[in-house]
Amino acid sequence: FPAWRLAPLFALVGLATVLLVVFVPVVFGKPLLTHYPRPHIHVVHFGSIEFLTAVLFDIGVFLLVFGFIVTTISMFARAAERSHP
């Protein structure tokens, strides 16, 4: 099972994550991209990484870009393979 088959799913999950981080604060009456947790509030840590909305946004952007690039490259590779059997 080739790993590049999951690339579109990575892109979709990344897009959903970015959109959630951007627009969920609007539901609560806050501006776009409001940073959570607010300053001087306890932050959850995952090892040495602080679990902030900025980190979630970065992970979402990474998944979106990675999924898009791998999907695009695999599409070009399949097209080249079909044209030169």
Side-chain angles (χ1 to χ4, degrees), residues 67-81:
F68 176 77
I69 289 173
V70 171
T71 301
T72 303
I73 291 171
S74 68
M75 286 174 55
F76 282 126
R78 279 184 270 153
E81 188 176 275

Side-chain angles (χ1 to χ4, degrees), residues 21-36 38:
V21 170
V22 170
F23 291 112
V24 164
V26 174
V27 174
F28 298 108
K30 302 288 184 186
L32 294 171
L33 289 171
T34 301
H35 180 71
Y36 288 104
R38 304 304 294 165

Side-chain angles (χ1 to χ4, degrees), residues 32-47:
L32 294 171
L33 289 171
T34 301
H35 180 71
Y36 288 104
R38 304 304 294 165
H40 308 295
I41 294 180
H42 176 70
V43 178
V44 177
H45 285 80
F46 182 72

